[in-house]
Amino acid sequence: VKAEGRNNYQFYDQSMQQQARWRWEIEEGLHQAIAKDELQIWLQPQVSAEHFIIGAEVLLRWQHPEKGLISPIEFISIAEESGQIDALEAWVLDRSLALLRQWQNKGLPECFERLSINISPAHFMQPGFTSRVLALLDQHAIDGVNIEFEITENLLIENFSLASKTMNILQAHGISFAIDDFGTGYSSLRYLSQLPLNILKIDRSFISDLEHNNNDASLVEVILITADKLGLAVIAEGVETSAQEAILAEHGCKIYQGFYFSRPQPAASFYSLLTAQNGF
Ligand code: C2E
Ligand code: CA
Ligand code: CA
Ligand code: CA
């Protein structure tokens, strides 16, 4: 038993070391990733009840030379802790707006309304965030109405007054705000009514078992009714089956995102899909 315990401990110790090493490699690699052109933005369609693509979420991808494609889940939190998130998301913003400008020049279907961009709390709370965003809109000649920012509940609660101030300024420029992963954080119904929000994204965890779990179905119904009463639009995330879509539609959901409709994809293939599917 003792020997086993020691072995377990050694294994644990080694994996801690490996974790630390991995972290260090990610952090070091991120410093170079932009310059080395290893980052990409991918896009996942958001579709209407009639299955028109009305928007897309921008999702960051890192094609690492040795480690392959690294999930943002792996490196976003490290970038947040190391202070690299601002530079990373400034890059995402710049690339997203450049893409939108390029598409608008080539031609965009009328039903396509906006790009949704994830903004980390640490970046959102930076004093320079608002002016950075406005400068980029200006630089790429993009109207704020074509942009939506996805932020999380916890950010809003921890920094209520600064968050709502920033949101109000950007909203005056047409930018809309979505609350991401709704239902998984320390949400309070009060924040939904007090903050200048436009959209609520129901987290995938409420959707994945929707067909078999009556409680989840009830929660989704309550979220849709509440959002409607508060004048918020709703996007259902992580929709993987037609049965899930049907239940959501029955309760009045109007915008969907998930593998059932499309996986995230590189910009060029997204644009092909967008223009083909919308009969453009
Ligand atoms: P998220 O914001 O909740 O984004 C949705 C995630 O769910 C994406 O994972 C997407 O690929 C995945 N997804 C979409 N539909 C389905 C589905 O039907 N089934 C399943 N199983 N998954 C689905 P991804 O691209 O790996 O991104 C993971 C997370 O990384 C994102 O979660 C977001 O929190 C973060 N992230 C990505 N890009 C950025 C960024 O530029 N900034 C920040 N702060 N976070 C980012
Ligand atoms: Ca998101
Ligand atoms: Ca989400
Ligand atoms: Ca998430």
Side-chain angles (χ1 to χ4, degrees), residues 33-49:
I34 294 177
K36 287 186 178 164
D37 206 22
E38 292 168 0
L39 297 178
Q40 298 168 5
I41 52 173
W42 284 33
L43 298 144
Q44 186 178 31
Q46 295 173 338
V47 308
S48 66

Side-chain angles (χ1 to χ4, degrees), residues 41-42 44 57-61 70-76 80 85 88-89 92-93 117-121 123 150 152 180-181 201 203-204 237-241 244 257-264:
I41 52 173
W42 284 33
Q44 186 178 31
E57 178 173 3
V58 176
L59 294 160
L60 191 54
R61 294 289 179 266
I70 306 177
S71 163
I73 299 171
E74 298 261 16
F75 64 85
I76 294 283
E80 282 171 342
I85 192 72
L88 217 55
E89 289 187 343
V92 171
L93 260 170
I117 300 167
N118 292 287
I119 303 291
S120 149
H123 185 203
E150 298 191 2
T152 54
D180 202 1
D181 304 338
K201 295 190 81 176
D203 189 68
R204 176 157 57 91
E237 283 197 278
V239 180
E240 292 184 350
T241 68
Q244 290 165 358
Q257 182 182 343
F259 293 172
Y260 176 62
F261 303 97
S262 172
R263 288 184 178 253

